[in-house]
């Protein structure tokens, strides 16, 4: 990969990630992360907050991301067993900045989640990723998911990887 | 007048009529007999840092403004224009000296008084503006920065209502060197497709921990926390009690194994945190003495203030409240609470500990939500399978265990008694 990172390269990577998450290939998904990766979902009332001073919905370091995957793959993770079916659509992908081997990327998403006997739950929001260039591809260094809803409300649980 | 419980002290059986959890008629009675008679949690002083600060929220279905006026005095105002009823403050939070209705422009000072009425001269009769300030709940009182409203002018004082529950609120507030706790920025709001009373039960029901939360226990064990095998007929790693606090309030009171930001270290906090944790502990011991320091730091407690305020003083401190939206649905709101003088690193540790267990992305709350939603789905059979079995531990003399249903029965007895006033 040269210095000129194209949007389509980033899109291909994000689509691949989305497919792994929707297919519940979470062990494989962990392979897309750097060894210091973080995953954040800020609170709906303060989406610009800092997780050290603001109560988030979710703020994982790599250790807890790996533990989260263990939990999600267990049949005793009741909120996600049987697994939700999810389908995510990603668009409006933009490369915001390139700083050395780090690429900051924004995208919009719609993630529809289905469980038995439930109406569809539709999560709408923005992704903001810091990708690290590794060889011919990327790894995710930071994964920030901002849900647009004023209140989490009916979206209730963020028990799967959003 | 009817009863929803079978409470048989001879046969040691306690049964709950499941209609209590599914009926819209019951909900209507609850709004009259419970939410309009009890002290209902509104907010915490620390949410209003400066004069003119406000937040808006719904309390027991009532849109309210919780704010400080220009002098700094705290109010609870109904967020409804006296003219034609529109909401007068549409923002979630902010700072305002007045609230102006966008419909016809009636403007209220932030102490509630009506200021301006556009075209006031058109009112031919007497328009006494002093009678047309924003209405407010009949009573509004606080205990150590926790503010409650009561719609019943004849209710006992908040202090009398809380009674012995104040001892457990004190165990929370005394975690702050200055006696000032602070609600941390950032709210967690989530709906549960379940009756609101299921959240009361779930918040203190330690019987469910090993089954519902086995993945959380595994996570704790993987991170190096020692999880003892239950002994002596217990289902939990450590001993815990269920305690009746009177007036329908109750708490669990458990020997802690899960770590406490004030101040019991566990490996999840990291080696780096040890010196600061030791210093927090040292300050606590110096200030309150070793016995009370142990009481604060080495036990954890889930407190219910009847009917719908829960303070989880566990892996972190939460304020959690919830209101019905129909018999089969509730809205839950949760905040994190910490000492106001906490350092940035201690605050970050507290918030991180919060997320290990609590909230829509935590390792435990989503499974609680799932359990409650499965209960509500199962309740669809209520007419043919009418009674919930809640007799666990009823034959036990003396100390009552957190993993029994003693405390759940306290709730249901109080609830049933209040509902009999219909």
């Amino acid at each position: 990969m040269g210095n000129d990172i194209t949007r389509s390269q980033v899109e291909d990577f994000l689509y691949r990630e989305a497919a792994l998450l929707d297919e519940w290939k979470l062990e494989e998904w962990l392979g897309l992360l750097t060894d210091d990766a973080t995953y954040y979902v800020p609170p709906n009332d303060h989406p610009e907050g800092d997780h050290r001073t603001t109560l988030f919905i979710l703020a994982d370091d790599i250790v807890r991301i790996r533990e989260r995957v263990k939990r999600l793959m267990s049949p005793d993770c009741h909120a996600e067993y049987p697994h939700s079916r999810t389908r995510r659509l990603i668009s409006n992908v933009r490369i915001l900045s390139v700083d050395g081997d780090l690429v900051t990327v924004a995208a919009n998403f719609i993630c529809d989640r289905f469980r038995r006997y439930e109406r569809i739950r539709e999560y709408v929001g923005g992704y903001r990723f810091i990708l690290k260039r590794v060889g011919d591809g990327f790894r995710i260094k930071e994964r920030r998911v901002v849900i647009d809803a004023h209140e989490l409300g009916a979206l209730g649980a963020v028990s799967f990887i959003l | 007048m009817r009863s929803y419980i079978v409470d048989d002290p001879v046969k040691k059986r306690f049964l709950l009529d499941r209609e209590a959890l599914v009926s819209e008629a019951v909900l209507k009675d609850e709004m009259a007999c419970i939410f309009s008679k009890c002290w209902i949690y509104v907010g915490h002083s620390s949410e209003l840092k400066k004069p003119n600060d406000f937040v808006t929220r719904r309390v027991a279905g009532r849109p309210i403004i919780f704010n400080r006026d220009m002098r700094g005095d705290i109010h609870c105002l109904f967020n409804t224009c006296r003219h034609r009823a529109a909401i007068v403050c549409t923002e979630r939070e902010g700072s305002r000296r007045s609230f102006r209705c966008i419909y016809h422009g009636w403007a209220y000072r932030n102490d509630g008084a009506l200021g301006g009425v556009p075209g006031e001269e058109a009112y031919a009769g007497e328009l006494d503006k002093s009678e047309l300030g924003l209405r407010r709940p009949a009573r509004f009182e606080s205990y150590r920065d926790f503010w409650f409203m009561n719609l019943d002018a004849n209710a006992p004082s908040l202090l009398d209502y809380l009674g012995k529950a104040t001892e457990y609120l004190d165990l929370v507030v005394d975690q702050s060197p200055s006696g000032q706790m602070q609600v941390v920025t950032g709210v967690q709001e989530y709906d549960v497709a379940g009756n609101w009373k299921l959240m009361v039960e779930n918040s203190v029901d330690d019987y469910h921990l090993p089954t519902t939360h086995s993945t959380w226990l595994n996570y704790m064990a993987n991170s190096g926390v020692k999880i003892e095998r239950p002994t002596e007929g217990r289902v939990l790693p450590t001993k815990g009690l269920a305690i009746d606090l009177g007036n329908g309030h109750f708490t669990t009171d458990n020997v802690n194994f899960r770590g406490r930001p004030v101040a019991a270290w566990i490996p999840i906090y990291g080696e780096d945190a040890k010196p600061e944790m030791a210093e927090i502990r040292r300050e606590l011991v110096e200030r309150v003495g070793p016995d009370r320091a142990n009481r604060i730091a080495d036990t954890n407690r889930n407190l219910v203030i009847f009917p719908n305020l829960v303070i989880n003083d566990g892996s972190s401190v939460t304020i959690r409240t919830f209101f019905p939206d129909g018999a089969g649905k509730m809205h839950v709101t949760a905040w994190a609470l910490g000492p106001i003088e906490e350092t940035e690193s201690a605050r970050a540790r507290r918030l991180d500990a919060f997320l290990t267990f609590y909230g829509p992305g935590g390792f435990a709350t989503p499974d609680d939500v799932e359990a409650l939603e499965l209960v509500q789905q199962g309740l669809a059979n209520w007419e043919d399978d009418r009674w919930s079995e809640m007799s666990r531990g009823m034959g036990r003399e003396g100390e009552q265990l957190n993993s029994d249903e003693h405390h759940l029965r306290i709730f249901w007895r109080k609830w049933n008694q209040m509902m009999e006033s219909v």
Side-chain angles (χ1 to χ4, degrees):
Chain A
M1 193 180 289
N3 281 328
D4 300 324
I5 296 167
T6 65
R7 189 179 71 214
S8 64
Q9 286 173 318
V10 172
E11 283 174 338
D12 285 348
F13 181 79
L14 294 181
Y15 293 166
R16 184 171 158 228
E17 195 214 16
L20 291 176
L21 292 174
D22 286 344
E23 292 163 18
W24 281 83
K25 293 178 179 167
L26 301 186
E27 301 285 352
E28 205 176 320
W29 172 74
L30 285 177
L32 301 185
L33 308 181
T34 64
D35 284 338
D36 62 350
T38 51
Y39 167 32
Y40 301 111
V41 180
N44 303 61
D45 63 333
H46 285 275
E48 299 306 320
D50 174 344
H51 71 283
R52 289 175 60 81
T53 54
T54 300
L55 178 65
F56 271 36
I57 305 299
L58 192 155
D60 284 357
D61 62 6
I62 187 65
V63 174
R64 195 145 77 220
I65 294 172
R66 290 173 180 147
E67 288 291 328
R68 186 176 293 279
V69 167
K70 273 186 216 165
R71 173 175 138 73
L72 285 168
M73 297 313 288
S74 163
D76 292 328
C77 176
H78 312 292
E80 290 296 334
Y81 191 84
H83 293 324
S84 303
R85 292 182 184 174
T86 61
R87 182 71 64 187
R88 56 199 86 202
L89 307 177
I90 296 173
S91 75
N92 302 57
V93 175
R94 291 181 297 151
I95 296 170
L96 298 183
S97 66
V98 179
D99 181 9
D101 60 354
L102 298 180
V103 186
T104 302
V105 169
N108 295 350
F109 71 86
I110 297 173
C111 179
D112 289 325
R113 174 181 184 238
F114 301 87
R115 300 206 73 209
R116 291 188 74 203
Y117 305 125
E118 259 190 22
R119 283 183 305 167
I120 184 172
R121 297 196 197 191
E122 187 163 84
Y123 300 74
V124 178
Y127 285 139
R128 183 168 292 225
F129 285 11
I130 298 174
L131 303 179
K132 184 173 184 181
R133 295 167 66 174
V134 178
D136 281 345
F138 299 110
R139 292 285 178 274
I140 298 168
K141 181 175 166 56
E142 182 181 303
R143 190 173 190 283
R144 188 174 294 263
V145 183
V146 178
I147 302 169
D148 287 338
H150 279 278
E151 292 96 26
L152 200 55
L155 304 179
V158 188
S159 42
F160 58 103
I161 308 277
L162 183 58
Chain B
M1 204 188 315
R2 60 161 293 189
S3 177
Y4 294 89
I5 60 176
V6 173
D7 191 357
D8 186 338
V10 179
K11 292 182 182 160
K12 314 283 187 212
R13 294 297 299 286
F14 189 100
L15 304 176
L16 172 70
D17 187 342
R18 290 174 171 172
E19 187 176 3
L21 297 167
V22 297
S23 160
E24 296 295 336
V26 166
L27 176 61
K28 188 160 172 280
D29 290 344
E30 285 174 333
M31 295 317 289
C33 300
I34 294 178
F35 287 101
S36 300
K37 296 287 178 190
C38 293
W39 286 95
I40 306 293
Y41 179 71
V42 172
H44 192 269
S45 302
S46 64
E47 295 179 81
L48 309 168
K49 291 185 177 61
K50 305 180 303 294
N52 304 319
D53 281 359
F54 72 87
V55 299
T56 60
R57 56 183 53 140
R58 284 170 185 254
V59 177
R62 314 286 184 127
I64 61 105
I65 303 168
F66 174 57
N67 74 321
R68 283 189 198 269
D69 64 22
M70 286 171 249
R71 296 187 319 173
D73 292 338
I74 293 182
H75 299 267
C76 179
L77 307 167
F78 289 139
N79 191 0
T80 292
C81 186
R82 295 300 305 282
H83 175 219
R84 300 259 288 279
I87 294 284
V88 296
C89 181
T90 56
E91 296 159 298
R92 179 192 277 272
E93 61 185 40
S95 176
R96 284 198 176 277
R97 298 169 73 89
S98 65
F99 304 105
R100 183 170 169 274
C101 180
I102 63 136
Y103 197 6
H104 304 94
W106 286 35
Y108 302 88
R109 294 202 320 244
N110 60 5
D111 61 3
L114 178 60
V117 173
E120 197 179 334
E121 61 281 3
Y123 291 90
E126 284 183 25
L127 186 76
D128 183 356
K129 287 202 294 184
S130 72
E131 299 271 303
L132 287 169
L134 292 175
R135 299 295 295 259
R136 55 186 86 211
R139 305 277 294 280
F140 183 56
E141 296 175 15
S142 70
Y143 179 76
R144 299 194 79 175
D145 295 330
F146 293 88
W147 285 90
F148 296 74
M149 71 175 199
N150 199 316
L151 298 171
D152 179 5
N154 300 315
S157 72
L158 176 66
L159 203 59
D160 286 346
Y161 179 83
L162 292 175
K164 283 198 294 190
T166 56
E167 294 172 24
Y168 282 83
L169 288 169
D170 291 345
L171 287 173
V172 173
V173 179
D174 288 350
Q175 293 170 28
S176 157
S178 64
Q180 284 179 283
M181 295 295 275
Q182 181 181 45
V183 169
V184 180
T185 302
V187 67
Q188 295 186 340
E189 290 168 318
Y190 51 101
D191 296 351
V192 181
N195 185 272
W196 69 276
K197 299 181 289 299
L198 297 176
M199 186 59 86
V200 177
E201 295 182 347
N202 174 258
S203 297
V204 290
D205 168 10
D206 284 351
Y207 185 26
H208 79 280
L209 192 99
T211 41
T212 308
H213 301 309
S214 63
T215 62
W216 174 76
L217 284 167
N218 289 341
Y219 163 56
M220 296 301 277
N222 293 345
S223 74
V225 174
K226 199 164 160 47
I227 309 284
E228 305 278 358
R229 270 185 184 283
T231 55
E232 299 163 38
R234 288 200 305 262
V235 297
L236 298 166
T238 58
K239 186 173 181 182
L241 303 179
I243 294 177
D244 185 354
L245 298 171
N247 289 351
H249 317 311
F250 45 91
T251 187
T252 57
D253 199 333
N254 304 346
V255 175
N256 179 61
F257 67 91
R258 58 201 288 175
R260 307 264 295 139
V262 178
W265 182 88
I266 51 171
I268 285 177
Y269 299 162
E271 290 292 324
D272 298 353
K274 274 183 170 170
E276 187 171 32
M277 296 293 295
E279 174 55 25
I280 293 170
R281 184 73 171 224
R282 188 201 61 73
E283 187 282 331
L284 185 66
V285 171
E286 186 179 286
R287 176 162 51 85
V288 302
D291 291 347
R292 190 162 174 79
N294 293 350
R295 185 81 181 89
I296 289 171
D298 295 332
T299 61
N300 57 273
R301 302 158 299 268
N302 287 7
L303 169 69
V304 172
I305 307 287
F306 189 91
N308 70 329
L309 173 64
V310 173
I311 296 181
N312 295 304
D313 190 358
S315 304
S316 204
V317 183
T318 79
I319 300 174
R320 174 194 291 166
T321 187
F322 37 92
F323 295 102
D325 179 10
K329 186 177 163 189
M330 75 181 107
H331 299 300
V332 184
T333 307
W335 297 269
L337 192 67
I340 198 164
E341 49 279 283
E342 202 159 53
T343 63
E344 193 199 333
S345 53
R347 179 58 60 84
R349 191 181 313 120
R350 164 180 305 281
L351 295 176
D352 191 69
F354 189 112
L355 297 180
T356 59
F357 191 95
Y358 306 109
F363 277 27
T365 299
D367 295 336
D368 285 317
V369 172
E370 177 69 9
L372 303 195
E373 295 190 342
L374 292 176
V375 170
Q376 201 69 32
Q377 290 170 32
L379 285 168
N381 281 319
W382 72 275
E383 285 168 296
D384 302 295
D385 185 2
R386 186 110 189 187
W387 300 95
S388 282
E389 162 55 61
M390 304 187 72
S391 315
R392 187 177 168 83
M394 215 169 160
R396 200 182 298 279
E397 303 285 332
E399 279 185 342
Q400 299 293 320
L401 297 183
N402 59 345
S403 54
D404 286 342
E405 288 163 345
H406 171 71
H407 41 330
L408 310 192
R409 292 188 289 273
I410 291 168
F411 174 79
W412 283 110
R413 286 186 187 116
K414 177 69 176 177
W415 179 88
N416 193 60
Q417 178 204 334
M418 295 197 77
M419 290 290 279
E420 284 180 339
S421 68
V422 172

